[in-house]
Amino acid sequence: MKLADLRDLMRRRRADYGLGLSFDDFRVDPMVASLRWPADVVEQFLYDHGDHGPFQRDYRNVDLTSIVWTLETVTAAELSTMPTGPSEAGCIEQFALHPGHYISVRSSGIHVGVPEKWRDHGTWKRPPLLLDRRLLDPSTSGLHVLEGRTRVGILRGRLRENDFVAATHEVWVGRPARSR
């Protein structure tokens, strides 16, 4: 299954007049449910961004059924150089230029607690999504920022400004099912 296979579901999710699919309805759709991904991953990757143009370009060839997601810990040093998709190359660095701004605008709704999490724990409130690069090109290795570019940008900016950043951070990592 590829992102393009979810096109009709994405269209229904974004239906006009607020009648689109709720996240709960989206994640129990048989195609999405068949992936057996954690709800947080489904929401961040497919529900929030699955029809986003850069995602469509960068991840259109990834077989979604071949990804196994696990909650892991990675170091700030690893995240400080990790790339993202070519369609949004440079965006992490743009977020890193003004980490305080991007923290301050995340203080209401689902973002309540983000500033305090950075201040008190030096990390994000919600784990971002990283992808094993072998899913994009079997001849490569390492991890790639799939979703959470703002969060990773904030981390990089805080490191540059010598603000408090935890040594390790919780992330969702998608790896090829066959490598497990």
Side-chain angles (χ1 to χ4, degrees), residues 46-113:
L46 301 178
Y47 188 76
D48 291 346
H49 298 290
D51 60 351
H52 181 57
F55 270 57
Q56 288 289 325
R57 287 187 293 281
D58 293 345
Y59 310 111
R60 69 178 165 262
N61 295 320
V62 174
D63 177 2
L64 302 177
T65 64
S66 73
I67 305 173
V68 174
W69 293 93
T70 56
L71 199 55
E72 300 181 19
T73 302
V74 297
T75 67
E78 290 174 280
L79 290 159
S80 70
T81 60
M82 199 173 288
T84 192
S87 295
E88 295 193 321
C91 74
I92 292 174
E93 290 72 22
Q94 287 298 315
F95 294 127
L97 292 175
H98 307 287
H101 166 75
Y102 290 105
I103 291 171
S104 70
V105 298
R106 283 164 174 73
S107 59
S108 63
I110 63 169
H111 300 297
V112 166

Side-chain angles (χ1 to χ4, degrees), residues 6-166:
L6 299 172
R7 187 174 295 124
D8 289 338
L9 184 61
M10 294 296 178
R11 197 172 294 123
R12 288 194 342 244
R13 180 184 76 62
R14 294 212 189 267
D16 292 335
Y17 310 112
L19 301 175
L21 287 174
S22 69
F23 174 65
D24 289 334
D25 290 336
F26 180 89
R27 73 186 182 119
V28 298
D29 178 274
M31 288 182 74
V32 175
S34 73
L35 294 171
R36 298 183 177 196
W37 288 2
D40 193 28
V41 172
V42 169
E43 186 173 17
Q44 289 188 67
F45 184 2
L46 301 178
Y47 188 76
D48 291 346
H49 298 290
D51 60 351
H52 181 57
F55 270 57
Q56 288 289 325
R57 287 187 293 281
D58 293 345
Y59 310 111
R60 69 178 165 262
N61 295 320
V62 174
D63 177 2
L64 302 177
T65 64
S66 73
I67 305 173
V68 174
W69 293 93
T70 56
L71 199 55
E72 300 181 19
T73 302
V74 297
T75 67
E78 290 174 280
L79 290 159
S80 70
T81 60
M82 199 173 288
T84 192
S87 295
E88 295 193 321
C91 74
I92 292 174
E93 290 72 22
Q94 287 298 315
F95 294 127
L97 292 175
H98 307 287
H101 166 75
Y102 290 105
I103 291 171
S104 70
V105 298
R106 283 164 174 73
S107 59
S108 63
I110 63 169
H111 300 297
V112 166
V114 167
E116 294 79 13
K117 191 76 172 175
W118 280 106
R119 182 191 69 224
D120 299 340
H121 302 283
T123 193
W124 35 68
K125 179 180 167 187
R126 185 179 196 186
L129 311 182
L130 307 182
L131 200 61
D132 185 313
R133 285 187 234 161
R134 292 175 296 167
L135 289 159
L136 304 168
D137 177 355
S139 68
T140 60
S141 63
L143 298 174
H144 166 101
V145 180
L146 170 72
E147 168 47 16
R149 294 172 306 271
T150 305
R151 285 167 272 182
V152 174
I154 290 169
L155 177 139
R156 289 182 188 179
R158 288 176 65 90
L159 284 170
R160 187 189 72 246
E161 294 177 357
N162 293 313
D163 284 339
F164 173 50
V165 174

